[in-house]
Amino acid sequence: MTTKKTYERPIIKKLESNMPNKFGMRTIYEPMSHVEGKAVKDLIQQYGSPLFVISEKKIRKTFRAARQAFETRYPRVQFAWSYKTNYLDAVCKIYHQEGSWAEVVSGFEYDKAIRNGVEGSKIIFNGPDKSETDLRKAVTNNSLIHIDHLDELYMLQDIARNSGKRPRVAIRVNMDTGIHPIWDRFGFNYENGQAWDALNKIMFSGLMELVGLHTHIGTFMLSPAAYGVAASKLAHLAQSVLMKYNHEIKYIDMGGGFASKNTLKGSYLPGTDISPSIDDFAEAITSALMNSDYRPKNPPLLIIESGRALIDDAAWLLGSVLANKRLSDGRRSTILDVGVNILFTAFWYDHKITPAQSFTSYTEDTALYGPLCMNIDVVRESINMPLLNKGDQVVIHHVGAYNMTQWMQFITLRPKVVLIDEKEKVHVVRNNESLDTLIALENVPDHLVNFEL
Ligand SMILES: *Cc1c(COP(=O)(O)O)cnc(C)c1O
């Protein structure tokens, strides 16, 4: 029996074939059939679609290059892994194996770092929400507590007084680095004197050990010069403390925020072309520190809490095409099984997306949607893509930072995460959710158990 072809309303649409654009580049697509030596097709078949894939090799390589960028320029450097950027245990442990301390911003993250085997004294505790219980724990474990506001400072003083312990503290400083708007909601301001005031309060109380100064000026920062300004300002505060109290600050923590190679929405050029390199950030920070007037007997340890720049390009999200359809204006749209609930960064990046199999050389302006029954579920508003068919697979690039922590269980269940190790062996490092994992947290009161329809 021959089945009749389904009728589709004809439209006239210009197909593009490797058109040069104003930069002289052509839109050239190569299929990406393998990730770290493994066939996309096989990975999806074995572990399901969608699937997060992390490369251990890439994580270590990027980390070592970043460490080298700083260590060649400055004598004493320490990295601390930003847990919120990606706190899968397997990922954290790679960074800890590479020598990174832990940088956490909540009680839950703090407990995770301890559970991962990080010594208390090598955990940096940031963030505006540290409960009294959290702080007591951190004081007992000798962790580095970065004070965010005066209420926290006073609470710590009480804990110090009652416990007889001397908390090791730093303050978080916010400042004008020439980048606006200023992130002034965290920590104490430099320009208006709040930071100096907090330092004096700490020194006068005599209850705490002032060990460091911290700043984290923003995220996805594209200006190394801003870090130079920030480092100079922290060095100036350190020098003021040295002059007034003859007290040496042991470390300067420059936070994170270095841009990854992703492309911000609305950006004219791709991130791979415009994001500064880690060397650029390292050069700005280390030269500002060394050129400052701060000259203690021992140079302060330089702490770096970089997150996204270290891990973004070490993970991919594999997905499959569910369907194609035409929008009312005739524009092509493709529905993927990857929603913004698991690809949270689609809200601010134009992710690079590559088909996983060969295709025609024609491309068409396409809207890429996710599977959610929600208007906001847009993976790319407009992307010049080769024509994909139902069942085809795609690779979404640079998804290592923030997706596996900010993702949410909404409409669909979260997929598996696999790690490909340096010998190209695949490990499931986070299982997919199931109905069981969800209902395990729920409880139905007796009177609601039964119903009749
Ligand atoms: C989030 C955060 C980081 C990491 O930021 P990235 O933009 O991922 O580099 C570092 N330090 C603090 C205090 C943070 O809140």
Side-chain angles (χ1 to χ4, degrees), residues 82 84-85 103 105 126-127 172 214 216 218-220 255-258 305-309 401-402:
S82 157
K84 77 168 184 295
T85 307
E103 185 275 323
V105 292
N126 283 316
R172 174 156 176 178
H214 172 235
H216 173 63
T219 195
F220 211 91
F258 310 149
E305 304 171 344
S306 179
R308 77 171 75 235
Y402 295 102

Side-chain angles (χ1 to χ4, degrees), residues 82-345:
S82 157
Y83 264 47
K84 77 168 184 295
T85 307
N86 189 321
Y87 46 56
L88 291 173
D89 285 345
V91 166
C92 296
K93 296 239 184 186
I94 297 173
Y95 287 103
H96 297 323
Q97 282 187 350
E98 291 288 335
S100 272
W101 295 355
E103 185 275 323
V104 304
V105 292
S106 70
F108 147 73
E109 288 187 8
Y110 185 91
D111 292 343
K112 213 165 192 283
I114 291 279
R115 202 180 146 275
N116 277 339
V118 183
E119 252 170 73
S121 63
K122 294 178 177 171
I123 301 178
I124 296 170
F125 202 167
N126 283 316
D129 170 25
K130 308 181 192 82
S131 70
E132 192 178 334
T133 316
D134 295 337
L135 286 175
R136 282 188 193 285
K137 205 178 333 183
V139 170
T140 305
N141 293 337
N142 228 5
S143 300
L144 300 165
I145 302 168
H146 289 185
I147 303 171
D148 184 77
H149 44 69
L150 284 179
D151 284 324
E152 187 182 334
L153 192 152
Y154 296 139
M155 184 147 63
L156 262 179
Q157 283 184 352
D158 280 345
I159 292 171
R161 222 177 266 120
N162 299 334
S163 68
K165 289 215 159 60
R166 265 176 91 74
R168 297 199 301 156
V169 301
I171 59 162
R172 174 156 176 178
V173 181
N174 68 63
M175 61 188 76
D176 186 352
T177 58
I179 303 292
H180 293 257
I182 299 172
W183 269 25
D184 61 359
R185 57 170 287 184
F186 302 111
F188 303 91
N189 186 254
Y190 173 86
E191 285 81 17
N192 73 7
Q194 280 176 350
W196 181 236
D197 177 56
L199 292 172
N200 284 310
K201 284 184 161 67
I202 292 169
M203 295 308 294
F204 265 82
S205 86
L207 292 163
M208 296 179 269
E209 183 68 19
L210 178 68
V211 286
L213 293 170
H214 172 235
T215 191
H216 173 63
I217 59 176
T219 195
F220 211 91
M221 304 296 284
L222 292 162
S223 162
Y227 284 87
V229 173
S232 304
K233 289 183 173 177
L234 290 190
H236 176 248
L237 282 177
Q239 176 61 15
S240 306
V241 172
L242 183 61
M243 294 285 282
K244 182 164 173 182
Y245 298 100
N246 195 26
H247 175 82
E248 280 192 15
I249 297 288
K250 293 207 173 61
Y251 67 83
I252 301 254
D253 181 341
M254 292 301 300
F258 310 149
S260 70
K261 303 285 181 214
N262 249 308
T263 304
L264 284 179
K265 272 186 199 282
S267 168
Y268 212 43
L269 290 165
T272 40
D273 291 351
I274 59 166
S275 292
S277 70
I278 293 278
D279 287 87
D280 297 333
F281 290 108
E283 183 63 27
I285 290 170
T286 56
S287 52
L289 280 185
M290 290 184 291
N291 295 342
S292 77
D293 290 336
Y294 184 47
R295 191 145 197 292
K297 279 194 235 54
N298 305 301
L301 181 69
L302 170 59
I303 298 181
I304 300 295
E305 304 171 344
S306 179
R308 77 171 75 235
L310 296 187
I311 200 169
D312 225 4
D313 65 355
W316 300 263
L317 180 52
L318 314 184
S320 308
V321 174
L322 299 176
N324 282 303
K325 64 200 275 190
R326 293 280 167 193
L327 302 177
S328 59
D329 63 358
R331 208 151 62 91
R332 187 178 178 88
S333 78
T334 295
I335 307 171
L336 301 173
D337 61 358
V338 171
V340 293
N341 59 322
I342 59 166
L343 187 66
F344 216 81
T345 52

